[in-house]
Amino acid sequence: EAKKNGRNRFSFFTPMMQAMAQARMRMMRDLRNALGLNQFTVYFQPIVDLSSQRIHKAEALIRWQHPELGFISPAEFIPLAEETGLIHEIGDWVFQQSAQLVKQCIPIVGDDFQVSVNKSPVQFRDRTQAHQDWMEYLSGLGLSGHNIVVEITEGLLLNADSGISDKLLHFRDAGMQVAIDDFGTGYSSLSYLKKFDIDYLKIDQSFVRNLSGEGEDLALCEAIATMAHKLDLRVIAEGVETTAQRDLLAQIGCDYGQGYLFSRPVPAEEFMQLLERSAA
Ligand code: C2E
Ligand code: MG
Ligand code: MG
Ligand code: MG
């Protein structure tokens, strides 16, 4: 009886699992050619200064337009890129696109303009010269390290072996700034804030989504902002979608906001138009 059930289950799941494995294999194969075939685009999302309401920075977010499958979310393909090691090439390309955007934005808003790029833990592994390559690229454009913010997640610092933390320090020594992405969702340990020189905390959108005048999420955001300022860090709230959320965040002293209320991530040319309007 058990054998029969087992066999039934076996024959039910196999085609599905096979199809999933095949889809994955295909995506991995296509990912390998995507850069060369110009299927990636970097979109930029404004980060707004909550006191002046002006665009102050941008976050670079990669997009993949697959010729048959259509738009594929980075949440889906970045893990595959990490597995295959393609993340290095892709990450360097996103960085270069970001540096080029900075170059175009500086005449509009000044030398302090920054673009932040996401960097996954895998990008810190197996590469020793990455910070030098990046710095060479920046100086080739007449830019300096402080025009780039590297976004990492808490997990990187908590599980950091000394190799990874050394590499992060190389980026810092080159003048690049560091932001903790999705802050508050990872671990409860805060000791890494003392150990590493961090510049920004990005409050995860799950805390911003249900912000109201009396809820616990407001208390959490306020506590994060207070702590951050005492440690001389700036705070960026992610996922700001309503004016009510924006106003509450400004009220508790949050420095910057990012979210659909201000703009969705947009192509570079469109970002430039938003920036010109904001700076006017
Ligand atoms: P993330 O770095 O936390 O990026 C924020 C995500 O929130 C983005 O999703 C953005 O489009 C989305 N978002 C922004 N404002 C709002 C809002 O108001 N409401 C809602 N519901 N969502 C908002 P996206 O672009 O799909 O990226 C997902 C994740 O993929 C990123 O999360 C990041 O971890 C990763 N990722 C994206 N681009 C890159 C990249 O170039 N390199 C690496 N390593 N990871 C990347
Ligand atoms: Mg990010
Ligand atoms: Mg985030
Ligand atoms: Mg600092």
Side-chain angles (χ1 to χ4, degrees), residues 52-176:
S52 71
Q53 300 284 342
R54 288 177 196 265
I55 298 175
H56 201 264
K57 317 173 196 302
E59 177 174 7
L61 294 158
I62 192 169
R63 299 289 177 257
W64 183 17
Q65 191 65 44
H66 188 286
E68 286 116 43
L69 302 174
F71 171 78
I72 303 174
S73 160
E76 214 176 315
F77 72 81
I78 290 291
L80 292 183
E82 291 174 344
E83 243 178 90
T84 52
L86 284 167
I87 192 69
H88 296 296
E89 241 180 286
I90 296 173
D92 286 353
W93 181 78
V94 170
F95 158 75
Q96 291 172 1
Q97 300 294 306
S98 302
Q100 287 173 27
L101 181 87
V102 171
K103 178 84 181 162
Q104 288 179 276
C105 291
I106 282 180
I108 306 171
V109 284
D111 288 341
D112 289 341
F113 188 76
Q114 294 179 315
V115 172
S116 66
V117 297
N118 294 281
K119 219 164 179 301
S120 66
V122 176
Q123 287 175 268
F124 283 96
R125 246 181 267 146
D126 321 322
R127 274 280 291 282
T128 46
Q129 304 305 320
H131 64 287
Q132 282 168 10
D133 295 346
W134 285 26
M135 283 315 289
E136 255 170 53
Y137 193 83
L138 287 174
S139 44
L141 290 175
L143 304 174
S144 65
H146 84 266
N147 292 120
I148 296 294
V149 178
V150 174
E151 290 195 13
I152 57 175
T153 51
E154 295 168 89
L156 179 82
L157 300 181
L158 274 157
N159 310 322
D161 55 52
S162 60
I164 287 186
S165 44
D166 283 353
K167 280 172 200 149
L168 181 63
L169 288 175
H170 286 147
F171 281 86
R172 279 222 55 102
D173 290 344
M176 287 178 248

